[in-house]
Structures are given as C-alpha cells and as structure tokens.
Amino acid sequence: MEDAKTRTRRQILEVAAGILEREGAQAVSTRSVAAAAGIRAASLYQFFGDKDGLLSALAIHGFDMYLAEKRGLAHTGDPVDAMRRGWDMHVGFGLRHPAFYLLMFGTDRPGRRAPAADEAGDLLLKYLDRVAAAGRLRVPPALAARLCLAAVTGVTLTLVGAPAEDRDPEISARIRDALIDSLTTDPPPATDTGLAPRALALDAALTAADQATLPLRPTETALLRDWLDRLAR
C-alpha cells in the first residue's frame, strides 16, 4: 500500500504529466501544477524542488511509459525482426507522446545529453547482443547501438516537429530498413556463417556468460575479446 506521501507525489506527477501532454513543457511550472493539483506551491517544492526537478521527474515517468511499451512487444525467434519492431515502437511512442518525447530525447543546449539517452542505449544494446549471438551483426553491438539510437531519435524528432498533415509515413520505414540492412546479414546458411559474424557471436556469448564460470583468467578473456574484435572488423 502507498503511504500518504508517496500517493501525493504520484498524484502531483500525474497532474504535471497531463499539463505536459496537453500544452507542452513550457506550460509546466510549479505554480501551474500546484494550482491544478489543489496544493500549495511550497508542498510541491518539498517533493520536486524547482521546475527542473519536476521536469526531471517527468522525464523519468516518460521513460517508465516507454519501457512498459518495450516490454509489451511480443518475442519472436528473429532478432533482426525484433530490431524493426523496436524501431517502430520507438517512433510510434514519440508520435503519441510528443511532449514527453521532446523532454526525454531532446536537449535544451549543446553538449547536454538527453535524459533518456543512456537508458535507451543500454536497452537497445540488449537487443543487439541477441543479433550478434545469432551471427547476424556486421559491426560490434556498441557501435550498432549508437548508430541505431542516433538514427531513430533523428527520425522521430523530425516527424514530431512536422505538422501532422506533412508527415511522410515512408520516411521512418525507409531509414529503418536502410540502416538495419547495413548493420545485419541475412540468416546464415547451415554450413558457413563467415568469420566476422562468428567472432561477434562468440563475443556476445562471452558478454552474456557468468564470468566466474569461464575457464579463462581475466587477462586471457580480455585478450580473446581483443582478438575477436579484430576478426569482426
């Protein structure tokens, strides 16, 4: 059961989320949220501090919504297909929740990382480790994750910023397919997968393995992964 303090904080956040969705981040202020929630501004400061604290909490709330949609994607045996469905879910989330998306993935000044960038990158890396383990990734997962996140956020921000009537639904699909085709291989034949995909698959397996059970010393594991990285290039 929630205590009174937790319940009040959640209610304030829900009110702020409603203002954000309807009117955008510029309309979210401690005064407007406090008035809509029926509390004193001083009470809001106790939970979130200033406006930046409230917006940070909203970005986290938005990422919780994003994760819930990601977890709801059905699993299939094709990790490359999962990449495509993950891309479509990401773009769809941004178009359904544009104000949240701008808060999560946009930046208000050069050099500042978007609040959700690290979390989204880590989540994407897990998908790409599966692709590498299947022997279908052309480049290391970390590089593929950076390329995918840069592309999908760029596409989504472009679509969010365009009037609805001017959005071309083919833009996202074309860039998605071009990028994924450049990063992945076709399903390997039964007899030969090629050297680079095999190296990436073994590297992904080492990443997923329990390090305590590996029959290698840490220095040996590091050397093996360096060799695998060279073979994957």
Side-chain angles (χ1 to χ4, degrees):
M1 295 290 291
E2 292 181 328
D3 59 26
K5 187 174 181 179
T6 302
R7 185 165 55 251
T8 299
R9 185 184 188 281
R10 177 176 56 80
Q11 290 171 347
I12 294 171
L13 201 56
E14 289 175 352
V15 168
I19 295 174
L20 176 68
E21 294 264 45
R22 292 190 303 271
E23 304 176 53
Q26 72 281 356
V28 178
S29 67
T30 52
R31 179 177 298 179
S32 66
V33 173
I39 62 171
R40 295 181 297 113
S43 298
L44 190 146
Y45 285 121
Q46 292 176 356
F47 289 103
F48 302 102
D50 56 13
K51 178 179 177 178
D52 284 343
L54 179 58
L55 290 176
S56 294
L58 282 170
I60 293 171
H61 179 63
F63 196 70
D64 287 341
M65 294 164 53
Y66 177 89
L67 282 177
E69 290 198 23
K70 277 283 188 183
R71 295 189 188 104
L73 292 175
H75 292 287
T76 70
D78 185 348
V80 176
D81 179 62
M83 288 177 65
R84 291 190 175 88
R85 291 186 295 111
W87 175 292
D88 291 343
M89 174 262 138
H90 183 109
V91 175
F93 177 89
L95 293 178
R96 289 190 301 276
H97 305 284
F100 265 112
Y101 192 87
L102 291 171
L103 188 62
M104 294 162 58
F105 290 96
T107 58
D108 57 2
R109 62 178 180 268
R112 180 172 179 173
R113 287 182 65 80
D118 290 335
E119 293 88 344
D122 290 343
L123 186 66
L124 180 57
L125 191 57
K126 293 179 181 178
Y127 276 84
L128 292 165
D129 281 340
R130 290 177 54 209
V131 182
R136 298 189 60 188
L137 200 58
R138 298 180 189 272
V139 301
L143 174 58
R146 291 194 295 271
L147 292 171
C148 287
L149 189 59
V152 76
T153 53
V155 166
T156 308
L157 289 170
T158 297
L159 293 175
V160 165
E165 63 274 14
D166 293 339
R167 291 174 188 159
D168 182 355
E170 291 297 314
I171 289 178
S172 176
R174 284 176 178 271
I175 296 178
R176 176 201 66 199
D177 291 345
L179 178 68
I180 292 176
D181 288 347
S182 73
L183 296 177
T184 62
T185 65
D186 293 331
T191 56
D192 182 25
T193 62
L195 190 57
R198 286 183 178 184
L200 288 167
L202 180 53
D203 186 67
L206 288 172
T207 300
D210 182 353
Q211 300 302 305
T213 65
L214 286 177
L216 297 172
R217 298 184 183 90
T219 54
E220 293 171 332
T221 301
L223 180 59
L224 174 58
R225 299 194 71 171
D226 180 59
W227 288 341
L228 292 172
D229 180 65
R230 294 185 191 184
L231 291 171
R233 295 176 183 175

